[in-house]
Amino acid sequence: MPQRPPNAATIFAPFHEEYPANAFRSASGSPGPDYWQNRADYQIHARIDPTTKTLSGEEVITYTNNSPDALDLLWVQLDQNIYRPHSRGSFIFHLPGAGHTAGDVIDALSVTAHGHTVPSSFLVSDTRMRVALAKPLAAKGGTLHVRIRWHYIVPGPWGGRTAVSTTSDGDLYEIAQWFPRMAVYDDLRGWDTEPYLGAEFYLEYGDIDYSVTLPATFLVAGSGALQNPADVLTPLERSRLRQAAHSDATVMIRTPADVKAAISNPQAGTHTWHFVMHDTRDTAFVASPAFAWDAARLRLPPVDGKPRLAMSVYPVEAAPTWKRSTEYVKNAIEYFSSKWYPYPWPDAINVAGHGANMEYPGIVFDGIKDSGKRLFWITTHEIGHSWFPMLVGSNERRAEFMDEGFNTFIDTYASDEFNHGEFGSKRDTEYAPAGGNPVEDIVPLLRDPTAPVITEEADLAGFRMSHTVSYFKAALGLRLLREQILGPQRFDIAFRHYIALWAYKHPSPSDFFRLMDSEGGEDLSWFWRSWFAHNWPMDLGVKAIDPQAGTITLTCIGGLVMPSTLQVEYADGTTMRERIPVELWMHGPQATIHAAGATPITTATIDPDHLVPDIDRSNNILKLQQTPSSTTTSASKQ
């Protein structure tokens, strides 16, 4: 039996947030006066053995407890454990030919606090590790150091986001989720210990200082700034990097010919690559002897006195199709920086790997086979994640739309702008996948009573609906909010302020909804409820025209309401357009408006330009068939 549409009282009722405002999170959507956030800084030394494909490492985590609570234990994330047989994620995260590893093997763990270092007992539960503390970590600034030695086998291409794969010139390592990372302790739940089931991440901010030792034949590209270029790069490569720092055109740093020459005359020994990234929630890196490398300058202020670069690394076989990759990286970073918020980190790197299509701070993993508009769109999307969630650190496992949807939203405008629309409007698996008008492509979802809602947790929605809901519907919702509800001026001011206020922090959906209400100057309860918390449809219609009274009766059925445009045509050939506000529907699904002109009304059309998501357009036009003395009974739909 079809569900009865909600009434106006339900549609327009105050939207009760999941997380009420308090001293930590204000009613305006900004961080409250007592907002706090813990911090995790890392020093990591790692080594990859290409023979066994094993990564081993030792890290020291400096953990600062800024919360008002003393902590008697810690939780650490061990995401490599998703690859263990019978892990929780193995029942959900399926890839063709998937294999297994032993996950993270913890070789030693100790805690240093109050000047004393002691081995600590720990308990591993799936992708989480509970670390017992001999004494509680003090509130409001208490600090301790956790030292962990660990190792794991890097999965093959079936590993998805992190893997070792083969190229014609050697193995290619894409290394991510690679070191034990602190779970988040926040004001919303205390320890957030959602297991890693294949959705994404929620991490604390801090500085990450890491080094990686590999055979000297390998080139490494990673998050952050390379600290020892003189130790690992040739004089020619360093010279070319200096040239790239002054060039808007792409400069080859390591050519395909250089790759072939290095392979034919391999250098003995090992190199240790040292990187530092400040104010970040994560790092990732890639390593291969097969990488060609190019770069161009980013027109952004220097970081720590050093120019910043857009860069790409790719196997030689990808060189013909990846020659514009750095151009796409440069465009994305500069466009998003000028439009929304300045990119804060040193460089931005695109990698042609096995096809993970995955984002990390300062580096993204794309595919060797990507080319043309596909490469442009996927590069822009993954680079866009530098803002959501790398800069604005929302919880991806619980609110996927706050990174995927927000990022897809900013991507759509970047696609429109790039090189005067070279690749056209964004139409891919992330946005309007049918390739048509987005408000019409979304209709099948709005008609589906079993579809998940945007605010549903990522693991509940599942991969089948993730792109349609968390990417497409969420991004379209923001476009509707910007273009049809608030207008670009109000929206842009509010959205930029949201990014600035929550940069390097952990906003919840409630914070975003409250901020857009407050900064946008509208009570958007009806919108958050219908589009984000529910999947209500909208059917606008023109029910009747009374040419003598000069009135038009409109309907809006389904629960979703939206500002729309009414076009009225008159007997003398003139046309009038009237903007219909959502408040018209506050008293029910039917309303009559006055639209009298100098001559009688002949035709009325609601949403003539197809700008809002109407699930049935057959009733959007009503045209009188007879003389001006005709009444509503002599009208027909077209």
Side-chain angles (χ1 to χ4, degrees):
M1 179 181 234
Q3 187 174 5
R4 185 177 180 180
N7 60 28
T10 300
I11 294 168
F12 289 97
F15 186 58
H16 296 294
E17 306 286 356
E18 181 180 7
Y19 305 111
N22 53 33
F24 305 131
R25 297 168 187 266
S26 77
S28 68
S30 62
D34 295 335
Y35 180 82
W36 56 268
Q37 192 169 298
N38 290 352
R39 180 180 177 91
D41 299 298
Y42 299 82
Q43 285 191 315
I44 309 168
H45 300 278
R47 175 181 295 269
I48 292 178
D49 181 349
T51 304
T52 61
K53 296 179 171 50
T54 298
L55 184 150
S56 56
E58 182 169 355
E59 70 179 6
V60 175
I61 307 170
T62 300
Y63 186 68
T64 303
N65 176 25
N66 294 315
S67 82
D69 309 318
L71 303 179
D72 57 1
L73 60 91
L74 306 176
W75 282 99
V76 178
Q77 303 187 60
L78 304 177
D79 289 341
Q80 288 295 320
N81 285 359
I82 195 173
Y83 302 115
R84 286 182 171 182
H86 313 298
S87 72
R88 297 186 193 185
S90 70
F91 291 91
I92 298 170
F93 181 66
H94 299 292
L95 285 174
H100 296 288
T101 73
D104 280 314
V105 179
I106 305 301
D107 299 311
L109 190 153
S110 62
V111 174
T112 301
H114 311 294
H116 300 286
T117 299
V118 295
S120 294
S121 62
F122 59 89
L123 175 65
V124 175
S125 173
D126 199 59
T127 58
R128 294 80 46 90
M129 179 170 66
R130 183 187 189 276
V131 179
L133 299 180
K135 293 182 179 180
L137 177 60
K140 299 183 178 181
T143 299
L144 54 70
H145 306 282
V146 183
R147 182 181 296 273
I148 304 174
R149 279 196 299 111
W150 83 102
H151 69 272
Y152 68 88
I153 295 174
V154 180
W158 49 266
R161 293 186 174 122
T162 180
V164 56
S165 56
T166 59
T167 77
S168 60
D169 294 307
D171 286 344
L172 191 164
Y173 288 83
E174 296 166 86
I175 302 299
Q177 295 86 253
W178 61 283
F179 58 98
R181 302 174 297 179
M182 290 300 304
V184 173
Y185 185 88
D186 64 20
D187 61 291
L188 302 178
R189 291 181 185 82
W191 286 110
D192 195 303
T193 55
E194 282 278 87
Y196 179 38
L197 302 179
E200 293 181 353
F201 311 106
Y202 187 37
L203 300 162
E204 294 288 18
Y205 286 93
D207 297 338
I208 302 180
D209 182 320
Y210 67 102
S211 61
V212 185
T213 300
L214 292 130
T217 54
F218 279 67
L219 175 73
V220 178
S223 304
L226 179 64
Q227 302 297 295
N228 60 334
D231 297 335
V232 294
L233 302 180
T234 68
L236 181 58
E237 288 167 345
R238 299 199 303 273
S239 173
R240 289 168 175 170
L241 281 172
R242 289 191 293 271
Q243 179 186 349
H246 300 281
S247 174
D248 289 316
T250 301
V251 174
M252 291 302 304
I253 311 302
R254 193 177 194 230
T255 69
D258 295 336
V259 174
K260 297 295 185 181
I263 290 171
S264 64
N265 186 25
Q267 186 176 355
T270 62
H271 280 162
T272 296
W273 299 69
H274 181 197
F275 298 88
V276 173
M277 194 171 199
H278 297 292
D279 300 318
T280 184
R281 44 177 255 161
D282 200 4
T283 58
F285 67 91
V286 294
S288 179
F291 279 143
W293 178 19
D294 65 40
R297 71 174 170 183
L298 289 170
R299 286 186 170 269
L300 298 173
V303 168
D304 296 330
K306 297 178 181 178
R308 294 193 271 176
L309 297 172
M311 299 191 286
S312 299
V313 294
Y314 40 86
V316 170
E317 57 260 42
T321 53
W322 269 65
K323 61 186 177 183
R324 295 185 68 188
S325 168
T326 291
E327 176 189 354
Y328 302 154
V329 174
K330 174 179 168 66
N331 175 80
I333 292 289
E334 292 176 352
Y335 174 77
F336 294 139
S337 293
S338 64
K339 181 71 175 174
W340 302 115
Y341 188 92
Y343 180 76
W345 295 297
D347 301 318
I349 307 166
N350 196 15
V351 180
H354 79 282
N357 298 332
M358 189 59 197
E359 67 279 357
Y360 299 96
I363 189 169
V364 300
F365 298 172
D366 289 325
I368 291 173
K369 296 181 180 179
D370 294 335
S371 63
K373 67 170 62 176
R374 161 71 182 174
L375 179 58
F376 167 75
W377 281 334
I378 197 66
T379 300
T380 301
H381 178 81
E382 303 306 346
I383 290 293
H385 276 300
S386 300
W387 283 261
F388 308 104
M390 306 310 166
L391 177 65
V392 181
S394 59
N395 187 335
E396 298 177 85
R397 291 183 187 170
R398 296 186 183 274
E400 185 179 38
F401 76 95
M402 293 182 73
D403 73 288
E404 297 296 357
F406 289 13
N407 179 30
T408 301
F409 163 72
I410 64 173
D411 294 347
T412 63
Y413 291 103
S415 295
D416 293 340
E417 293 288 333
F418 176 70
N419 203 18
H420 307 290
E422 177 181 350
F423 294 118
S425 297
K426 181 178 173 70
R427 297 291 185 271
D428 57 10
T429 58
E430 297 160 353
Y431 191 77
N437 182 344
V439 299
E440 293 175 346
D441 283 2
I442 201 71
V443 166
L445 179 74
L446 298 179
R447 288 182 176 275
D448 184 355
T450 68
V453 300
I454 292 175
T455 52
E456 197 165 285
E457 289 192 14
D459 291 322
L460 294 175
F463 188 77
R464 179 182 72 87
M465 298 297 288
S466 174
H467 275 63
T468 307
V469 177
S470 297
Y471 293 66
F472 178 26
K473 189 184 181 189
L476 177 57
L478 292 193
R479 285 202 67 134
L480 290 169
L481 184 59
R482 182 177 189 266
E483 295 170 10
Q484 303 303 318
I485 300 170
L486 292 180
Q489 287 186 315
R490 282 197 290 167
F491 178 93
D492 290 357
I493 291 170
F495 198 59
R496 289 178 187 131
H497 200 199
Y498 165 73
I499 297 171
L501 285 171
W502 288 99
Y504 314 107
K505 297 182 177 70
H506 298 314
S508 71
S510 300
D511 299 313
F512 174 72
F513 296 150
R514 283 194 289 260
L515 186 139
M516 295 306 291
D517 280 4
S518 180
E519 296 279 333
E522 298 283 350
D523 181 354
L524 297 166
S525 293
W526 55 271
F527 182 60
W528 308 133
R529 176 178 292 107
S530 61
W531 193 263
F532 285 80
H534 294 275
N535 190 45
W536 290 341
M538 177 176 68
D539 180 12
L540 291 169
V542 182
K543 184 176 183 180
I545 299 171
D546 186 334
Q548 295 179 338
T551 61
I552 300 169
T553 300
L554 304 175
T555 58
C556 184
I557 297 175
L560 174 63
V561 294
M562 196 76 63
S564 55
T565 297
L566 176 67
Q567 179 173 290
V568 184
E569 299 173 38
Y570 299 93
D572 61 3
T574 59
T575 299
M576 180 272 289
R577 286 194 169 197
E578 182 78 18
R579 192 69 174 156
I580 305 298
V582 294
E583 287 81 1
L584 182 68
W585 311 114
M586 280 185 164
H587 299 292
Q590 180 171 304
T592 298
I593 69 167
H594 293 272
T599 59
I601 299 168
T602 60
T603 305
T605 307
I606 190 73
D607 190 32
D609 301 317
H610 295 206
L611 297 177
V612 296
D614 190 335
I615 65 168
D616 180 6
R617 295 193 178 274
S618 66
N619 58 355
N620 285 29
I621 303 175
L622 195 61
K623 184 174 183 179
L624 293 182
Q625 290 182 321
Q626 299 179 2
T627 64
S629 60
S630 300
T631 66
T632 57
T633 59
S634 59
S636 67
K637 297 175 183 177
Q638 291 189 344

